[in-house]
Amino acid sequence: MTINVEGKLINGKETAAAILREVAQDVERFVKEYEQPRLAVVIVGDDPASHSYVHSKVKACERCGIGSIHIELPASTSEEELLERVDGLNGDSSVHGILVQLPLPPQIDQQHIIERISPDKDVDGFHPYNMGRLAADKPRFVPCTPQGIIELLDRYDVETAGKRAVIVGRSIIVGKPLALLLSMKGGHGNATVTIAHSKTVDLAAVTREADILVAAVGQPKVITADMVMEGAVVIDVGTNRITDPSAKKGYRWVGDVDFDAVVQKVSRITPVPGGVGPMTIAMLMKNTLTAAQWAQRAIDEQ
Ligand code: NDP
């Protein structure tokens, strides 16, 4: 029996492009009345993957009419120096969103930086204030990757209410905030959520329970076909670079899911690349526009 793989795909690339067009229209309207929304992107060191992510974010700003400031700092930058930069951006009223690309070099405590960014400019949604708002069912800035996943489920009419969702991975960037969103009262939530991680016993038994299975681990093929329920919806967040001599660059990107085998069993699945990745960037643009709108509202209310 041949499987219609194309018909099962959740196309993040197309969806993200549609969202970027929507954001561009909203930015155009906003700029006519107020000022241009601006995002500051700070990168420390020369990790090629981080530079490539930052490049994509700056390009997305251009596509949406959002201004960007790109600050590159050497790998030797001290925590004090980076905190000073963040303070400067916090105090600059022409900057509406601040993103410090993670990971940071070992001499810098990531959490200190996250906590120094003004919660009003925290377009990544990692500040404890914004995390707390999410946990309290009163979200403000929501981390971009989980927000992008919810947007995909919504736009592909994947019901979450009453469904069993299993998220493999408990990072503050993906797993935890996604669990909060999926279990939220109302919205695209109301799922019964389980978070699995490296200490989970019999992971396959847990994942087989999932109507919606999210893999956010960072290991190729950690989710195999025997771990997936027939008809499940699978969201693959993993972004793993593997060597491939047949590829032009000598490598290619794969997710955490053994795609070719798993696709046979599922009702819907996100590919890697072209699934969750582009949605993350689209949500960052949305959050930056929102930050500018909220800043403007605060000025109007003074
Ligand atoms: P982290 O390394 O912070 O978290 C990985 C999680 O996976 C941890 O909770 C870890 O458990 C768990 N884990 C590790 N091994 C296993 C295992 N064998 N079985 C079950 N759980 C396991 O990663 P991130 O959340 O930051 O990222 C996850 C993946 O998603 C990466 O590939 C990353 O590149 C990708 N990513 C993609 C994005 C996108 O836009 N497409 C955005 C962000 C991330 P424990 O907590 O016990 O260590």
Side-chain angles (χ1 to χ4, degrees):
M1 194 174 69
T2 40
I3 297 272
N4 176 9
V5 172
E6 204 54 42
K8 294 186 178 194
L9 291 184
I10 293 180
N11 191 327
K13 197 174 168 193
E14 258 177 38
T15 311
I19 292 170
L20 289 180
R21 284 194 296 274
E22 291 162 19
V23 173
Q25 284 171 3
D26 291 345
V27 167
E28 205 181 320
R29 271 194 289 273
F30 184 79
V31 171
K32 273 190 192 140
E33 233 178 304
Y34 305 108
E35 59 182 328
Q36 188 186 34
R38 270 211 314 168
L39 173 69
V41 184
V42 184
I43 183 164
V44 184
D46 37 39
D47 174 53
S50 291
H51 274 270
S52 146
Y53 295 144
V54 165
H55 178 72
S56 308
K57 288 166 186 174
V58 170
K59 278 258 166 243
C61 284
E62 284 167 16
R63 274 175 76 177
C64 298
I66 290 175
S68 64
I69 310 174
H70 183 179
I71 301 171
E72 288 191 28
L73 301 173
S76 59
T77 303
S78 70
E79 184 175 308
E80 210 44 52
E81 284 167 327
L82 183 55
L83 287 170
E84 269 173 37
R85 284 293 188 139
V86 170
D87 287 344
L89 295 168
N90 280 340
D92 182 343
S93 62
S94 74
V95 170
H96 304 98
I98 303 171
L99 181 151
V100 177
Q101 185 65 41
L102 304 178
L104 291 166
Q107 73 276 16
I108 302 175
D109 186 323
Q110 199 158 289
Q111 197 57 27
H112 289 167
I113 306 303
I114 288 173
E115 293 188 18
R116 193 68 157 252
I117 294 171
S118 161
D120 293 333
K121 299 189 178 188
D122 173 37
V123 284
D124 255 341
F126 298 156
H127 190 286
Y129 173 78
N130 285 314
M131 283 286 179
R133 296 278 309 211
L134 178 57
D137 259 11
K138 299 271 180 292
R140 216 157 161 271
F141 287 115
V142 174
C144 300
T145 304
Q147 197 187 338
I149 293 170
I150 296 293
E151 193 79 33
L152 277 180
L153 295 175
D154 189 26
R155 291 188 185 224
Y156 275 82
D157 292 325
V158 176
E159 182 60 82
T160 53
K163 301 293 177 191
R164 275 184 172 268
V166 174
I167 302 163
V168 190
R170 57 179 162 183
S171 72
I172 65 144
I173 293 171
V174 189
K176 277 210 185 114
L178 181 60
L180 289 169
L181 286 169
L182 283 170
S183 58
M184 189 176 279
K185 252 187 181 176
H188 214 80
N190 285 326
T192 304
V193 181
T194 302
I195 305 183
H197 44 75
S198 68
K199 305 290 185 286
T200 299
V201 175
D202 198 355
L203 181 63
V206 176
T207 56
R208 272 197 295 268
E209 295 268 298
D211 300 304
I212 299 167
L213 176 60
V214 181
V217 175
Q219 285 172 30
K221 296 196 181 179
V222 72
I223 304 295
T224 50
D226 61 306
M227 297 168 76
V228 179
M229 184 205 275
E230 197 78 45
V233 173
V234 173
I235 306 293
D236 193 353
V237 185
T239 312
N240 308 297
R241 195 169 124 160
I242 59 163
T243 309
D244 180 357
S246 69
K248 216 159 114 191
K249 291 182 178 162
Y251 64 82
R252 66 191 166 89
W253 295 97
V254 297
D256 290 343
V257 174
D258 183 1
F259 184 89
D260 293 338
V262 169
V263 73
Q264 311 291 325
K265 286 182 88 172
V266 298
S267 58
R268 287 274 188 203
I269 187 165
T270 58
V272 178
V276 174
M279 291 299 289
T280 300
I281 295 180
M283 293 302 113
L284 176 67
M285 297 302 112
K286 239 182 149 170
N287 280 354
T288 305
L289 171 61
T290 302
Q293 289 167 332
W294 285 343
Q296 190 55 50
R297 196 184 307 160
I299 293 168
D300 291 347
E301 282 169 3
Q302 270 170 15

Short mmCIF file of all heavy atoms in Angstrom, two decimals, residues 241-254:
data_model
loop_
_atom_site.label_atom_id
_atom_site.label_comp_id
_atom_site.label_asym_id
_atom_site.label_seq_id
_atom_site.Cartn_x
_atom_site.Cartn_y
_atom_site.Cartn_z
N ARG A 241 22.31 18.15 13.10
CA ARG A 241 23.14 18.16 11.88
C ARG A 241 23.86 16.82 11.78
O ARG A 241 24.57 16.44 12.71
CB ARG A 241 24.14 19.30 12.02
CG ARG A 241 24.79 19.66 10.72
CD ARG A 241 25.54 20.93 10.91
NE ARG A 241 26.92 20.73 10.53
CZ ARG A 241 27.75 21.71 10.22
NH1 ARG A 241 27.34 22.95 10.29
NH2 ARG A 241 28.98 21.46 9.90
N ILE A 242 23.61 16.11 10.68
CA ILE A 242 24.31 14.83 10.50
C ILE A 242 25.16 14.86 9.22
O ILE A 242 24.82 15.51 8.24
CB ILE A 242 23.35 13.62 10.48
CG1 ILE A 242 22.33 13.74 9.35
CG2 ILE A 242 22.63 13.44 11.81
CD1 ILE A 242 21.65 12.43 9.02
N THR A 243 26.27 14.14 9.27
CA THR A 243 27.17 14.07 8.12
C THR A 243 26.48 13.32 6.99
O THR A 243 25.87 12.27 7.21
CB THR A 243 28.46 13.33 8.53
OG1 THR A 243 28.94 13.95 9.72
CG2 THR A 243 29.52 13.38 7.45
N ASP A 244 26.58 13.87 5.78
CA ASP A 244 26.01 13.20 4.62
C ASP A 244 26.88 13.55 3.40
O ASP A 244 26.74 14.62 2.81
CB ASP A 244 24.56 13.66 4.40
CG ASP A 244 23.92 12.98 3.19
OD1 ASP A 244 24.63 12.21 2.49
OD2 ASP A 244 22.73 13.22 2.94
N PRO A 245 27.79 12.63 3.04
CA PRO A 245 28.71 12.92 1.93
C PRO A 245 27.97 13.19 0.61
O PRO A 245 28.49 13.89 -0.27
CB PRO A 245 29.54 11.63 1.81
CG PRO A 245 29.32 10.90 3.09
CD PRO A 245 27.99 11.31 3.62
N SER A 246 26.71 12.70 0.48
CA SER A 246 25.98 12.92 -0.77
C SER A 246 25.37 14.33 -0.82
O SER A 246 24.92 14.79 -1.87
CB SER A 246 24.89 11.86 -0.95
OG SER A 246 23.87 12.08 0.01
N ALA A 247 25.33 15.01 0.32
CA ALA A 247 24.76 16.37 0.35
C ALA A 247 25.82 17.37 -0.13
O ALA A 247 27.02 17.13 0.08
CB ALA A 247 24.29 16.73 1.75
N LYS A 248 25.37 18.48 -0.73
CA LYS A 248 26.28 19.47 -1.29
C LYS A 248 27.25 20.00 -0.22
O LYS A 248 28.46 20.13 -0.46
CB LYS A 248 25.45 20.63 -1.86
CG LYS A 248 26.05 21.23 -3.12
CD LYS A 248 24.99 21.97 -3.89
CE LYS A 248 25.27 23.45 -3.93
NZ LYS A 248 24.14 24.23 -4.45
N LYS A 249 26.72 20.27 0.97
CA LYS A 249 27.55 20.84 2.04
C LYS A 249 28.25 19.76 2.87
O LYS A 249 29.00 20.07 3.78
CB LYS A 249 26.68 21.69 2.97
CG LYS A 249 26.17 22.95 2.33
CD LYS A 249 25.35 23.75 3.33
CE LYS A 249 24.85 25.04 2.74
NZ LYS A 249 23.75 25.62 3.50
N GLY A 250 27.96 18.49 2.59
CA GLY A 250 28.57 17.41 3.36
C GLY A 250 27.79 17.07 4.62
O GLY A 250 28.18 16.18 5.39
N TYR A 251 26.70 17.77 4.86
CA TYR A 251 25.84 17.46 6.00
C TYR A 251 24.40 17.80 5.65
O TYR A 251 24.14 18.49 4.66
CB TYR A 251 26.27 18.25 7.25
CG TYR A 251 26.15 19.74 7.12
CD1 TYR A 251 24.93 20.39 7.32
CD2 TYR A 251 27.24 20.54 6.78
CE1 TYR A 251 24.81 21.77 7.19
CE2 TYR A 251 27.13 21.92 6.65
CZ TYR A 251 25.91 22.52 6.85
OH TYR A 251 25.80 23.88 6.72
N ARG A 252 23.47 17.30 6.47
CA ARG A 252 22.07 17.72 6.34
C ARG A 252 21.42 17.74 7.71
O ARG A 252 21.99 17.24 8.67
CB ARG A 252 21.31 16.82 5.36
CG ARG A 252 21.14 15.40 5.81
CD ARG A 252 20.62 14.55 4.66
NE ARG A 252 20.78 13.14 5.00
CZ ARG A 252 19.88 12.42 5.65
NH1 ARG A 252 18.74 12.96 5.99
NH2 ARG A 252 20.11 11.17 5.95
N TRP A 253 20.23 18.36 7.76
CA TRP A 253 19.51 18.52 9.03
C TRP A 253 18.43 17.45 9.14
O TRP A 253 17.70 17.21 8.18
CB TRP A 253 18.88 19.91 9.12
CG TRP A 253 19.91 21.00 9.16
CD1 TRP A 253 20.34 21.74 8.09
CD2 TRP A 253 20.66 21.44 10.29
NE1 TRP A 253 21.32 22.63 8.51
CE2 TRP A 253 21.52 22.47 9.86
CE3 TRP A 253 20.68 21.07 11.65
CZ2 TRP A 253 22.40 23.13 10.70
CZ3 TRP A 253 21.55 21.74 12.49
CH2 TRP A 253 22.40 22.75 12.03
N VAL A 254 18.37 16.81 10.29
CA VAL A 254 17.28 15.85 10.55
C VAL A 254 16.68 16.16 11.91
O VAL A 254 17.30 16.82 12.75
CB VAL A 254 17.78 14.38 10.52
CG1 VAL A 254 18.30 13.99 9.15
CG2 VAL A 254 18.83 14.13 11.61
#
